[in-house]
Amino acid sequence: MARQVDEQIAGRFPVGQRLRVLDVGMGQGTQALRLARLGHQVTGLEQDATMIAAARAALSGEPEGIRERMRIIEGDGRETGAHFLPGSFDVVLCHGVLMYLQDPDALLAGLARVLAPGGLLSLLVRNGDALAMRPGLARDWAGALAAFDSVSYRNRLGVDARADRRAALTDTLAGIGAPLHAWYGVRVFTDTAPDGTEPPADLETLLAAEERAGKTDPYRGVAALLHLCGVRG
């Protein structure tokens, strides 16, 4: 995922440009902090107090220069208009958020609104066109059959969530003025790995295989997650 984000940034902005980045639903701040370390000015927006505490704890251990480049705001991603002016950011990330919203249209419109012309919108969503893969590979045949006709699922935390189909989300991105520029699959080969699995000795080879599959048909189409990148017109 990080490699895909970096690929899109490198292809859209001059080398060395310090970008204004907004990470909506930043979680514990993994991507936000990584981009701050690369020299960008990063704002993380998160409403979960536990996640905010984790992000602040991680940030506190960084050098002063990095701490100065990152700010954390407590708030709902659907209320970006209350926090930011239009066109405030060159890059907007929204990873792993849409699956918890029954109607994400307002959120997406708000993300496009705060994106500067030519800016990059990065979305990570559950792949609604491949929901049958996980139960099918687990030999849960009834679950696989049910998944073909649904965009609802229960995640590994036991939380009911929602997937997005690429075609529908492509139409939505066009409608909010940030049409799809590129898309990737994420977790093509590794989705069935149990949580907490120790990284294998050949981790770099695994990542190289995932990276290649994530941009190659037909593999990316059956990934557990989709990474869609829109560009503000």
Side-chain angles (χ1 to χ4, degrees):
M1 180 70 188
R3 297 183 186 191
Q4 295 166 359
V5 171
D6 290 347
E7 179 178 84
Q8 288 300 310
I9 288 176
R12 177 145 299 276
F13 302 101
V15 175
Q17 180 177 342
R18 293 195 171 186
L19 302 172
R20 302 164 298 165
V21 180
L22 173 64
D23 189 352
V24 174
M26 69 168 183
Q28 59 188 6
T30 302
Q31 286 297 323
L33 187 55
R34 186 184 71 83
L35 291 169
R37 289 174 182 142
L38 292 175
H40 304 302
Q41 194 71 36
V42 182
T43 299
L45 182 64
E46 175 61 55
Q47 63 178 347
D48 184 277
T50 301
M51 291 295 183
I52 291 173
R56 286 178 173 157
L59 183 60
S60 69
E62 294 293 325
E64 182 179 357
I66 294 174
R67 295 199 306 270
E68 291 176 347
R69 288 198 294 272
M70 182 171 165
R71 61 172 175 158
I72 297 171
I73 297 176
E74 184 174 357
D76 192 318
R78 292 167 291 189
E79 299 173 352
T80 51
H83 299 285
F84 314 113
L85 294 173
S88 296
F89 298 97
D90 305 301
V91 177
V92 173
L93 312 178
C94 186
H95 298 163
V97 175
L98 267 61
M99 57 269 288
Y100 300 112
L101 302 177
Q102 286 304 311
D103 184 3
D105 288 355
L107 169 65
L108 290 170
L111 300 183
R113 175 182 174 275
V114 300
L115 194 61
L120 177 69
L121 174 59
S122 173
L123 303 174
L124 183 69
V125 303
R126 185 65 189 271
N127 185 2
D129 294 319
L131 278 183
M133 289 297 295
R134 184 185 292 175
L137 292 173
R139 304 176 70 85
D140 174 9
W141 311 125
L145 283 171
F148 282 111
D149 301 314
S150 176
V151 292
S152 298
Y153 68 101
R154 179 161 292 180
N155 67 17
R156 292 179 176 178
L157 300 176
V159 177
D160 290 330
R162 184 192 59 80
D164 284 283
R165 298 191 186 278
R166 181 168 56 88
L169 202 48
T170 298
D171 290 342
T172 299
L173 289 173
I176 61 175
L180 185 67
H181 170 73
W183 69 278
Y184 306 85
V186 176
R187 292 203 331 228
V188 178
F189 301 129
T190 57
D191 185 52
T192 57
D195 292 337
T197 301
E198 290 294 324
D202 57 349
L203 177 61
E204 284 303 315
T205 306
L206 182 156
L207 292 175
E210 280 282 355
E211 184 177 14
R212 178 72 178 271
K215 60 178 68 174
T216 303
D217 290 324
Y219 306 102
R220 62 178 180 166
V222 295
L225 303 170
L226 294 177
H227 178 199
L228 292 90
C229 300
V231 173
R232 181 69 165 158

